[in-house]
């Protein structure tokens, strides 16, 4: 499922989505707001593999706002929230995020060999299982790619905790 197009807006409320043969929900160019949404990415029963690297993603300049709900990656998914090598913004004000995969990545960064991109994550609420933000000293470690070291394609993760009180803003800068 994709939200694409300048000015495109999608509001998703009180919905449960099970992903086993889909690529996740991508917000590109437009905007989406999730309220009380449950998304679980699991392996397809017939193959034992997932076609979904994640539950949700923002790319192509899109903005995804998550206000509440539950977002869980299981099986061979690569993370809960994905970023592809085009810029996108995710604003998290609530919700529960769980990665039950070997990688344990809440934030999955897709490898880029060609694009210079900047991704922004604004976190002002929510529960992140396997992550305690008040104890994080290496912000770059919150982002991962189980197939390749992100040091190969990410130059830095900038952290801003002052411009919006109560909000941690993480900016991921791709190096290529």
């Amino acid at each position: 499922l994709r939200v694409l197009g300048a000015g495109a807006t999608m509001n998703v409320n009180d919905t449960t989505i099970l992903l086993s043969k889909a690529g996740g929900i991508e917000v590109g160019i437009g905007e989406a707001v999730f309220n009380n949404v449950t998304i679980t990415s699991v392996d397809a029963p017939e193959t034992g593999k997932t076609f979904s690297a994640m539950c949700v993603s923002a790319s192509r300049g899109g903005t995804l706002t998550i206000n509440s709900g539950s977002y869980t990656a299981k099986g061979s998914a690569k993370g809960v929230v994905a970023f592809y090598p085009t810029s996108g913004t995710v604003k998290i004000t609530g919700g529960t995020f769980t990665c039950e995969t070997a990688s344990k990545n809440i934030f999955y960064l897709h490898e880029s060999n060609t694009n210079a991109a900047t991704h922004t994550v604004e976190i002002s609420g929510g529960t992140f299982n396997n992550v305690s933000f008040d104890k994080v000293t290496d912000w770059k470690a919150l982002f991962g790619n189980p197939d390749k070291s992100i040091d190969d394609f990410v130059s830095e993760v900038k952290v801003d905790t002052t411009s919006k009180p109560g909000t941690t803003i993480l900016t991921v800068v791709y190096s290529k």
Side-chain angles (χ1 to χ4, degrees):
L1 175 62
R2 290 184 171 170
V3 179
L4 295 172
T9 302
M10 178 173 74
N11 291 301
V12 182
N13 302 298
D14 305 315
T15 301
T16 298
I17 300 169
L18 178 65
L19 299 170
S20 67
K21 293 184 179 181
I25 297 174
E26 176 189 359
V27 178
I29 303 171
E31 180 179 351
V33 178
F34 289 8
N35 296 295
N36 196 31
V37 174
T38 298
I39 300 175
T40 305
S41 177
V42 300
D43 289 342
E46 47 296 331
T47 64
K49 297 286 183 187
T50 184
F51 291 92
S52 177
M54 78 304 189
C55 294
V56 294
S57 71
S59 66
R60 304 174 196 191
T63 300
L64 169 61
T65 302
I66 298 173
N67 293 321
S68 57
S70 175
Y71 306 84
T72 304
K74 296 181 177 186
S76 54
K78 297 184 180 195
V80 182
V81 178
F83 295 97
Y84 289 92
T86 56
S87 301
T89 300
V90 175
K91 298 177 181 180
I92 299 173
T93 64
T96 300
F97 300 83
T98 305
C99 189
E100 297 177 2
T101 70
S103 70
K104 301 290 185 208
N105 292 324
I106 297 293
F107 303 112
Y108 162 66
L109 294 176
H110 190 277
E111 175 185 354
S112 173
N113 290 323
T114 58
N115 292 352
T118 302
H119 298 293
T120 304
V121 182
E122 295 185 13
I123 303 168
S124 59
T127 301
F128 299 84
N129 294 322
N130 306 322
V131 176
S132 179
F133 283 104
D134 59 342
K135 296 179 182 172
V136 173
T137 56
D138 180 6
W139 290 95
K140 196 172 186 181
L142 293 176
F143 299 86
N145 180 319
D147 302 321
K148 187 171 186 173
S149 169
I150 66 167
D151 289 330
D152 293 343
F153 57 91
V154 171
S155 61
E156 68 178 313
V157 174
K158 299 176 185 177
V159 181
D160 175 357
T161 58
T162 59
S163 64
K164 290 185 178 181
T167 300
T168 299
I169 302 171
L170 305 173
T171 304
V172 178
V173 179
Y174 276 70
S175 57
K176 301 203 185 229

